[in-house]
Amino acid sequence: MEVVVGTYEEVLLGYRLVKLGEKWQFELSFTDNSHTGCIKTIAVSTKGILASGGTDENIKLFNLKKRSDLGSLVHHSGSVLGVEFYKGNHMFTVSEDGSVAIWKHYTWECLKTLRGHKSGVNSISVHPSGKLALTVSKDKTLKTWNLITGKCAYTTNLKSVADLVLWSTDGTYYAVVFQTKIDIYKVETATIHCTMTTERRPNDVAFLSDTILVYGCEGGTVNFHDINNNQQLHQIDTETNRIRGITLFTDDELCQCLITASSDGYLKLYQVQQNEDSISTTLLTEHDSKFRLTCISVYLPTASTDKTGNKAITEEVMEDVDSKDDNSDQETLKTETPKKTKKNDKRKKLQKKKSEMEFVTVDKSKEAKIKAKKRKTMMKKQNTKKLKI
């Protein structure tokens, strides 16, 4: 497992979570300085592709499996504020220029640019079905996009600017995050299901389950909230200044885990125990990165099971697929080379014919000159004979 964080100092940091004896610790695995501005957002696909965006208006791509730099995508004319992958097939990016870009995974072709917001887009979230997407903007609107048609299906006017939007794991709810509150909307009724007022500004949110929302705030607190009963289940005081990012994942050994990234540089790993009516957490390890952290994401190369029971593709299977793709490319090259050789043979034959024709014309011209000289000499001899007579 690998944890990747972005920083204000334009640096990407990668950490491996390693167990030494009975203790866990963060081990630095890589650093990347390719950005020229503050890193605002990062995301990792199921195939191990890391995408990061920031104030330099570029989207940097990095292959975590092969440890290779894939270059950068230049499309937006403003800071990149959000990056999200959908099932390893597509990537979505949003920017201060008010646009939403949809990219094809691996080929990195921009398939579609969605425009409609009058100001910068702060956040995007794709429905688990992949048919809908939600975006919130500085123009105080929430837009619902039909990804099949590539058009805006509905626009909701908000009273204030929303910073984040996020679908629940099953797609029945979605959260809209403001400076002092979080509104939970239910899809069936298309109305606000419940509202959570916060003392401090929430900077990041995640769904622990279909009905439990986790959010990190200014002041270093992390809250677990039951949206069905609209009550707080648990709170963590991380003893940091500001939570900038949180991520949840499931590990075979640790079960449910939470990692927090704070602006004072601390990474903290918590084990989450979920009971029927309560939640408890245990701090396993922490690490001081010495950087001001802005965002966080986790890459799990091992197979995992989603809500439908389908197993995700493992890293070994992906390597087999990559090798098959390479072999198929070689086969296509093999099939194409004979065609090229045939064309080359035809060209060579034509060149030979042309050269032969040129030689023939040269020979004919030489013969004509020789014949003309012979005629002249014969004419001179006849003229001399006549003069003697």
Side-chain angles (χ1 to χ4, degrees):
M1 190 191 74
E2 197 155 20
V3 182
V4 185
V5 291
T7 65
Y8 282 105
E9 290 82 5
E10 308 170 3
V11 181
L12 282 170
L13 302 173
Y15 292 93
R16 285 193 180 95
L17 195 58
V18 181
K19 187 176 183 181
L20 298 176
E22 296 182 356
K23 295 183 179 180
W24 292 86
Q25 70 177 21
F26 291 98
E27 234 178 47
L28 186 65
S29 58
F30 75 90
T31 60
D32 181 76
N33 301 310
S34 57
H35 278 282
T36 59
C38 170
I39 300 171
K40 293 285 189 180
T41 178
I42 58 174
V44 182
S45 72
T46 56
K47 297 178 181 179
I49 303 299
L50 168 66
S52 58
T55 57
D56 58 1
E57 304 179 2
N58 294 329
I59 304 161
K60 300 291 183 180
L61 301 173
F62 188 81
N63 192 322
L64 292 176
K65 292 192 298 181
K66 298 180 180 179
R67 287 295 188 268
S68 59
D69 188 0
L70 303 179
S72 60
L73 303 175
V74 181
H75 178 76
H76 296 289
S77 59
S79 298
V80 180
L81 302 179
V83 177
E84 182 174 340
F85 285 99
Y86 177 74
K87 292 187 177 179
N89 297 322
H90 295 87
M91 181 179 72
F92 296 79
T93 59
V94 296
S95 171
E96 280 188 348
D97 61 7
S99 66
V100 180
I102 305 173
W103 306 84
K104 180 67 177 175
H105 200 275
Y106 269 118
T107 62
W108 307 117
E109 175 190 0
C110 186
L111 302 175
K112 184 78 173 178
T113 301
L114 306 178
R115 301 185 186 277
H117 284 290
K118 297 178 181 178
S119 188
V121 183
N122 291 329
S123 177
I124 184 171
S125 182
V126 181
H127 191 269
S129 66
K131 297 179 181 180
L132 297 173
L134 297 173
T135 56
V136 289
S137 170
K138 294 177 182 178
D139 61 4
K140 298 181 182 180
T141 60
L142 165 68
K143 286 186 180 293
T144 304
W145 300 90
N146 186 336
L147 297 180
I148 298 174
T149 61
K151 296 180 179 179
C152 179
Y154 192 73
T155 301
T156 304
N157 293 318
L158 305 173
K159 294 182 179 180
S160 59
V161 176
D163 298 321
L164 296 168
V165 62
L166 181 68
W167 284 101
S168 62
T169 53
D170 61 352
T172 57
Y173 300 95
Y174 60 89
V176 182
V177 182
F178 301 90
Q179 288 191 1
T180 57
K181 68 173 183 176
I182 301 174
D183 288 337
I184 304 297
Y185 287 80
K186 194 171 184 178
V187 176
E188 291 181 355
T189 59
T191 56
I192 297 176
H193 176 68
C194 66
T195 299
M196 293 167 278
T197 56
T198 59
E199 296 179 359
R200 300 289 187 92
R201 179 177 180 174
N203 292 321
D204 200 8
V205 293
F207 275 94
L208 179 65
S209 65
D210 298 339
T211 58
I212 298 177
L213 181 71
V214 185
Y215 57 95
C217 301
E218 301 275 344
T221 59
V222 179
N223 301 276
F224 295 76
H225 198 94
D226 184 0
I227 61 178
N228 273 346
N229 301 319
N230 195 14
Q231 65 177 1
Q232 183 173 299
L233 299 176
H234 183 65
Q235 186 181 63
I236 303 173
D237 185 6
T238 62
E239 299 179 354
T240 57
N241 295 332
R242 182 185 299 110
I243 299 295
R244 294 298 301 170
I246 60 174
T247 183
L248 296 163
F249 64 94
T250 302
D251 184 79
D252 294 335
E253 187 173 356
L254 295 173
C255 296
Q256 288 182 318
C257 295
L258 165 71
I259 300 179
T260 63
S262 58
S263 59
D264 55 4
Y266 277 95
L267 285 168
K268 296 196 176 187
L269 171 66
Y270 294 88
Q271 187 177 18
V272 180
Q273 295 88 21
Q274 184 177 357
N275 301 320
E276 293 182 358
D277 299 328
S278 63
I279 289 177
S280 60
T281 56
T282 304
L283 178 63
L284 299 179
T285 186
E286 62 180 21
H287 174 74
D288 186 4
S289 66
K290 307 297 183 182
F291 288 89
R292 294 176 295 169
L293 307 182
T294 58
C295 46
I296 185 172
S297 187
V298 171
Y299 170 52
L300 298 170
T302 56
S304 60
T305 306
D306 58 12
K307 293 291 179 182
T308 59
N310 298 322
K311 287 188 177 180
I313 299 176
T314 61
E315 186 174 0
E316 293 177 357
V317 175
M318 284 307 303
E319 289 178 356
D320 293 337
V321 171
D322 293 338
S323 62
K324 287 180 182 178
D325 292 338
D326 294 338
N327 293 331
S328 64
D329 293 339
Q330 290 176 0
E331 289 176 359
T332 53
L333 288 172
K334 287 178 182 177
T335 55
E336 287 176 357
T337 47
K339 292 181 181 180
K340 290 182 179 179
T341 52
K342 287 180 181 180
K343 289 181 179 179
N344 292 331
D345 292 339
K346 288 181 180 180
R347 288 176 182 174
K348 287 180 181 178
K349 287 180 181 179
L350 289 172
Q351 287 177 356
K352 284 182 181 179
K353 286 182 181 180
K354 287 181 180 178
S355 60
E356 288 175 357
M357 291 295 291
E358 289 175 357
F359 285 124
V360 169
T361 53
V362 170
D363 293 338
K364 286 183 178 179
S365 62
K366 285 182 179 179
E367 289 177 359
K369 287 180 180 179
I370 292 167
K371 287 180 180 179
K373 285 183 179 179
K374 286 181 179 180
R375 285 176 185 174
K376 286 181 180 179
T377 53
M378 290 291 292
M379 291 293 290
K380 285 181 181 179
K381 287 180 181 180
Q382 289 178 359
N383 290 331
T384 53
K385 287 179 180 180
K386 287 180 181 179
L387 291 170
K388 286 179 181 178
I389 294 168

